[in-house]
Amino acid sequence: MELRIDLAGRTVLITGGEAASRRAVRRYQAARATVRRLERPGDFNPSMLDDVQLVAVVDDGQPGWAQVEQLSRLRRIPLTHEEAALPNGSVTLVGGGPGATGLLTLHAAAALKEADVVLFDRLAPTADLPELAPAAELVDVGKQPGHHPIPQREIEALLIALALAGRHVVRLKGGDPFVFGRGSEELAACVEAGVPCRVIAGISSAIAVPAAAGIPVTHREVSHLFTVVSGHAPLTDDEHLHLTGLGGTIVVLMGVGTLPQLAAGLTRAGMRQDMPVAVVERGYSPSQRTTTGTLATIVTAAGSARCQSPAVLVIGEVVRVGLDLAGAAQLAALPQQLAVP
């Protein structure tokens, strides 16, 4: 059972050594509670419970905390147990999904709860970060198209420096860390520096954002494969030929800026001019929007609609499947209906 209590202005006694209880202290301070500390069981005095509304016991391995618990119960003071903070610094690379807090995995939410510092990206789910990571310092290291205020190498150096200082660092990314997220570069930097690092997979926008628009990336007897492509830079003629020859569905991330080159390249490679194309902007946000067309018309349609990133492009017959489904009653609960020009 989870209870939410307004602790603003209330006194909370937190037990445990400084290192073990550091996260609990920050969390209760963030809740605007008045924090009273007890680092050693031998220093306990019953008067410390005077005017205390909550006792948070951090089990740091020291014997003797039972007496604090017993007297708290006798005085009918609410009691909670907090996990001790990790003794050594580490890095956790977390995939945050396409931006909606509800699409965070349970493991991702648990990592954020235990974080000392969160370095987050522009497309990560940030709206509820103060609640998800109540004990953490929140640092925006996000990049925007053509503007990287904190270069990647500096982000990696910051991850390592914070971890070596004994802090648990969460690197929160949009989508999945290993799908165009440079997570493998950050993992390699941690390994080289001898910093413990783990990876928590996230839901990639390559499948989640089309799904939010009602577009399946595969569909029986329509498409049995899909290819995920980065649209950050124009593709080569050989890559256009390869994509056209594979068939199936093409999903392009970060591709709004290179859409004209992509459409022209696939046309030169022999793709049908009436191939359906969709541009899904701002997936899972209140302003989610889908613009559709064909390979021959999508550049004009996207220009008229003033499509902007973040957006996911979907090329293939599955777009037509999505359009057919859009009129069905069972899709009424989707964040946004398909907007067909």
Side-chain angles (χ1 to χ4, degrees):
M1 179 185 295
E2 180 178 338
L3 298 176
R4 294 184 178 273
I5 303 174
D6 183 3
L7 294 174
R10 298 177 183 271
T11 301
V12 178
L13 175 65
I14 301 177
T15 75
E18 181 178 2
S21 63
R22 69 182 190 273
R23 194 168 299 129
V25 169
R26 284 199 299 272
R27 186 157 56 243
Y28 285 103
Q29 287 176 339
R32 295 179 296 154
T34 299
V35 172
R36 188 175 295 172
R37 298 290 313 284
L38 176 59
E39 295 188 24
R40 291 177 295 275
D43 295 338
F44 176 61
N45 186 303
S47 64
M48 292 181 176
L49 295 176
D50 294 347
D51 301 323
V52 167
Q53 282 82 46
L54 178 68
V55 174
V57 177
V58 178
D59 188 357
D60 60 357
Q62 297 184 75
W65 295 126
Q67 62 176 330
V68 180
E69 297 187 32
Q70 291 169 1
L71 191 54
S72 298
R73 291 190 177 96
L74 284 173
R75 293 195 179 187
R76 296 186 176 181
I77 300 173
L79 183 70
T80 185
H81 288 83
E82 301 276 348
E83 292 186 6
L86 297 174
N88 300 313
S90 63
V91 171
T92 302
L93 306 178
V94 173
T101 299
L103 293 181
L104 278 170
T105 66
L106 293 175
H107 283 180
L112 287 168
K113 182 180 179 181
E114 298 304 317
D116 293 316
V117 185
V118 177
L119 307 185
F120 62 90
D121 277 348
R122 174 176 72 99
L123 299 180
T126 59
D128 299 314
L129 263 185
E131 291 75 32
L132 291 167
E137 176 187 354
L138 306 178
V139 181
D140 184 355
V141 295
K143 307 179 185 72
Q144 298 187 26
H147 180 57
H148 299 175
I150 303 181
Q152 180 64 28
R153 294 294 172 256
E154 290 186 19
I155 294 174
E156 294 166 10
L158 183 58
L159 283 173
I160 292 166
L162 289 168
L164 290 177
R167 308 181 79 178
H168 175 40
V169 188
V170 166
R171 177 74 171 100
L172 181 62
K173 298 170 172 290
D176 181 271
F178 284 3
V179 179
F180 306 131
R182 306 189 75 168
S184 56
E185 297 175 39
E186 293 167 356
L187 175 60
C190 289
V191 170
E192 183 178 356
V195 170
C197 183
R198 63 177 177 145
V199 181
I200 297 177
I203 300 175
S204 174
S205 59
I207 55 174
V209 171
I215 302 173
V217 293
T218 63
H219 190 78
R220 188 166 60 90
E221 298 182 355
V222 175
S223 174
H224 66 275
L225 63 93
F226 67 98
T227 306
V228 181
V229 180
S230 169
H232 182 71
L235 301 178
T236 66
D237 286 342
D238 286 343
E239 289 169 331
H240 289 130
L241 282 168
H242 183 64
L243 287 173
T244 301
L246 276 176
T249 306
I250 302 172
V251 179
V252 185
L253 308 184
M254 305 169 287
V256 171
T258 56
L259 177 58
Q261 294 94 326
L262 178 65
L266 293 175
T267 297
R268 290 194 304 271
M271 182 173 286
R272 291 177 13 231
Q273 289 292 281
D274 64 348
M275 182 66 75
V277 182
V279 181
V280 186
E281 299 172 83
R282 303 176 295 277
Y284 290 95
S285 75
S287 61
Q288 177 180 314
R289 180 178 68 161
T290 302
T291 301
T292 61
T294 65
L295 189 63
T297 65
I298 191 59
V299 173
T300 300
S304 298
R306 297 184 179 180
C307 292
Q308 296 180 336
S309 64
V312 174
L313 315 182
V314 186
I315 304 170
E317 289 295 339
V318 292
V319 173
R320 203 181 309 278
V321 174
L323 293 176
D324 292 340
L325 291 173
Q330 61 264 33
L331 287 188
L334 285 175
Q336 288 285 323
Q337 294 182 348
L338 290 170
V340 183

